[in-house]
Amino acid sequence: SKMVDPTLAEMGKNLNEAMKMLEDNQRKEEENEKRYTRKDIPGPLQGSGQDMVSILQLVQNLMHGEEEEESSQAYRLQNVGEQGHMALLGHSLAAYISVLDRERLRKLTTRILSDTTLWLCRLFRYENGSAYYHEDDREGLLKICRLVIHTRYEDYLVEGFNVLYTKQPVIYISSASRMGLGQALCNQLGLPLSCMCRVPCNTMFGSQHQMDVALLDRLIKDDAESGKLPLLLVANAGKCWTPGAGHTDKLGRLKELCEQYNMWLHVEGVNLATLALGYVSSSVLAATKCDSMTLTLGSWLGLPAVPAVTLYRHEDPSLSLAAGLTTSQPVEKLRALPLWLSLQYLGHDGIVERIKHASQLSQRLLENLKNLDFIKTSVEDELSSPVVVFKFFQEYANRDQTPHAAPTSAIQRPIISNERHVYDTFNQWLGEQLAQLVPASGVDVVELEDEGTCVRFSPLMTSAVLGTEIQDVDQLVDCLKMKIPILTSTLQLREEFEQEVKRTVGLVYIEDLSWPGLGVVRYSYHNDGKNDDKQEKELEKINTELLKKLNDLESDLSFSLGPEFGGEKNCVYIGMVTEDLDVSELVETIAATGREIEENSRLLENMTEVVRKGIQEAQLQLQKANEERLLEEGLLRQIPVVSSVLNWFSPFQASPKGRTFNLTAGSLESTESTYVSKAQGTGTTPPPTPTSSLAKQRLPGQKIFKRSLRSSDAFSETSSVSHCDDLEKMEQRPSVLSPGHEQGQTEKRSKEQQQAVTLVTAAESDTVPSDKSPSACVQAEEQGSQR
């Protein structure tokens, strides 16, 4: 057996135990919540020490926390794997090695640094290079800038900023570079922002994602003629930190320009990973001739906590030391230790295989996207591009046709601002849906200056971490195929929906270009001289009730209040739809439901006042009827003893006087007909509510707002023109609810109109009793509540 340092063996054992504990998701939620609730709050250091298990348990609780319980989706940790454990072990080893004696430490760190640099230079075809390892991916470029300043300004070590003042340096970066890069460099170098020159991308010739070389040439000439010193150029090989499309600048031409003006060329980007493959595009291969490049191996290979690497070529070690690219401190050289361990674990073939796998994923997706209609792609090199950017796009003039995927130039066709905004909204929704349905794909939404909102698939940055496989790409394509018909149908029906709403009385169309769906509608409340606050509350009440009733319908549509922030108030937002949607029926149902809610609201609001006035009027009429009865009976009949004798000899026949109050009509009527017929009259029955043409008989299983299969075939290419004849007829007919609700509503109204509240007293009563009014009011309010 091999001899193993006991400390190293114990370190590896402790690391494995710690990782198992932190990755164990089968923890007892209730106990942890009670045990560590107080420890989530910062507090004083405890006097007695704690064991490692307790500390790691606290770390685990803080890592997972309550976010997993609150969020709908469980937080997905990085798939560390065994190679990730090697990288994490490197950090523990670095702490252990740093306590060795100085000579042994120097030998070990020199070997680690030399091995790692040699492996990376050979792996990425960068001959005779040196390496600088850094945690922040911008730190390498910052040290390169200091190196170039030391190289071009010989007296910089002595004179400092004075030499920069006499001849101001200029650093050129692409306008497509990551945001804030130029400002960060100037701040760290102590230079004014005027030392940073942003070079635009091509506007007329060449790719719109590449730096304009001709314009850069003119800028350099102008700066040199004005007494400035062109110092350094930062080029892109696939923008990995920015929402880019993975395009590479013309590195060969840029290198020639830098040699002409004695400038330094630095390259960064995700496409540099393809240098390790057998086939490399000529545009990326030119990066091997540049003066420096930054590699982010952690994301490419799925290695946690490994440093980024900047490879560079320079002949003066003293200037490299002055710039901070090299160090005399052995401990700082241990930054390469996690990478040294991980590269050995993976091996050359394993590293190439991971990068190759990511490229194959991109090619698989790109091949499938070419066969999809309404999907436009934007890639630089179809044979080797590791980044695929695509978007949903449908020709505005030919929406009834089925155009096939166009070349890259089609995605760059200028479109009107409103249409551009709508497509950005739809593609934002598409990207979010795909990321939610296929989380292992790692797709995200990006904003490109020319194309707008797109969906990006960059497996080099995500596949190693998420464990993306070919089946995940196939699942992504399947989900995309399901979403495309929904997008096309919704886009086609948006205009018809807008026209239907605008021609419907009582509805207001709200234009919200940022809403991914059919559209936004508001039921307009008829103002009767109410103040703004009361009207606003009534509007909110009606539209809230309208939303509730629409969601109660058995339909496949999604009705909501809209986005949580930035949306319109008191509106109904309708989500994505399918091609068999009957827009006319939908709009008419919304209008009819809104009118019903408004009528009920008005009736309930005025019921108390109407009933109160009716009771008062009934009291006056009954009092007048009693006075008339006294005149008819005469004075003698009012005397107690005389009235009995008189009534015995000459009985007096008088019909009972009373009043009935019709809640539906709001009118006060006599009860004479009731006593004559011995039954309560029904009054005039209102005519039945006309049935709309849209209240059609449905097939078994057919949901509301859906056209039948026969009409769906005839309406395969949706257009508002096809409904012109029906719409003209509909405008002359009152809108009603759907058939199921329509019949029940008609019966309910008929019953209500037949009901009445009798507010009467006996005709023989001398006066109207005071205790009758409250009883009648309560009875009327009960009828109103039923209404």
Side-chain angles (χ1 to χ4, degrees), residues 571-614:
C571 295
V572 176
Y573 284 74
I574 306 174
M576 293 289 180
V577 299
T578 53
E579 64 176 354
D580 57 351
L581 173 70
D582 194 329
V583 177
S584 300
E585 182 183 2
L586 170 63
V587 175
E588 189 173 352
T589 301
I590 295 175
T593 307
R595 281 193 294 270
E596 179 195 359
I597 296 173
E598 182 182 4
E599 291 172 1
N600 293 341
S601 176
R602 288 176 180 273
L603 184 61
L604 291 175
E605 180 182 355
N606 300 327
M607 185 62 68
T608 303
E609 184 66 20
V610 172
V611 171
R612 186 182 63 83
K613 290 182 179 180

Side-chain angles (χ1 to χ4, degrees), residues 141-142 144-146 148-149 168-174 181-182 185-186 189 191-199 216 223 229-234 263-264:
L141 177 57
L142 175 63
I144 289 296
C145 291
R146 289 179 176 171
V148 180
I149 291 177
Q168 179 176 318
V170 182
I171 300 174
Y172 302 88
I173 64 174
S174 172
L181 177 61
L185 291 176
C186 289
L189 295 172
L191 299 176
L193 292 179
S194 58
C195 292
M196 191 61 54
C197 178
R198 295 184 67 86
V199 183
L216 174 62
D223 289 335
L229 180 63
L231 196 68
L232 179 140
L233 171 64
V234 182
M263 293 173 56
W264 186 284

Side-chain angles (χ1 to χ4, degrees), residues 374-376 392-401 403 413 419 423 487-489 491-492:
F374 310 115
I375 293 296
K376 303 294 182 289
F392 165 76
F393 186 80
Q394 188 177 6
E395 292 291 342
Y396 184 80
N398 300 317
R399 285 185 178 173
D400 294 336
Q401 301 177 3
R413 183 183 68 85
E419 186 182 355
Y423 277 112
L487 290 169
T488 55
S489 302
L491 188 63
Q492 290 171 354

Side-chain angles (χ1 to χ4, degrees), residues 78-240:
Q78 177 170 325
N79 183 19
V80 178
E82 194 168 349
Q83 77 280 356
H85 287 187
M86 295 299 297
L88 300 178
L89 179 62
H91 292 273
S92 302
L93 281 176
Y96 172 65
I97 293 175
S98 63
V99 301
L100 297 176
D101 60 86
R102 188 173 185 83
E103 183 62 23
R104 190 176 300 179
L105 178 61
R106 185 188 62 81
K107 290 182 180 180
L108 183 57
T109 54
T110 301
R111 172 64 184 273
I112 293 173
L113 202 61
S114 300
D115 284 349
T116 310
T117 302
L118 177 63
W119 298 338
L120 292 176
C121 288
R122 289 184 176 179
L123 189 63
F124 295 97
R125 311 185 184 198
Y126 198 80
E127 300 177 355
N128 301 323
S130 302
Y132 172 63
Y133 303 90
H134 46 93
E135 302 297 334
D136 187 352
D137 49 40
R138 298 177 298 183
E139 185 70 20
L141 177 57
L142 175 63
K143 295 298 176 66
I144 289 296
C145 291
R146 289 179 176 171
L147 173 63
V148 180
I149 291 177
H150 281 283
T151 304
R152 298 299 301 277
Y153 293 92
E154 296 180 358
D155 298 331
Y156 182 73
L157 285 174
V158 180
E159 299 293 335
F161 68 89
N162 289 324
V163 296
L164 304 180
Y165 178 77
T166 56
K167 198 167 187 178
Q168 179 176 318
V170 182
I171 300 174
Y172 302 88
I173 64 174
S174 172
S175 59
S177 298
R178 42 183 161 164
M179 296 297 295
L181 177 61
Q183 184 175 0
L185 291 176
C186 289
N187 292 339
Q188 294 295 324
L189 295 172
L191 299 176
L193 292 179
S194 58
C195 292
M196 191 61 54
C197 178
R198 295 184 67 86
V199 183
C201 294
N202 294 318
T203 55
M204 297 181 64
F205 304 101
S207 172
Q208 297 184 6
H209 303 280
Q210 293 178 331
M211 191 184 302
D212 193 330
V213 181
L215 180 57
L216 174 62
D217 193 2
R218 291 197 299 269
L219 291 173
I220 296 175
K221 285 182 180 179
D222 294 342
D223 289 335
E225 292 174 357
S226 62
K228 298 180 180 180
L229 180 63
L231 196 68
L232 179 140
L233 171 64
V234 182
N236 292 316
K239 300 176 282 293
C240 56

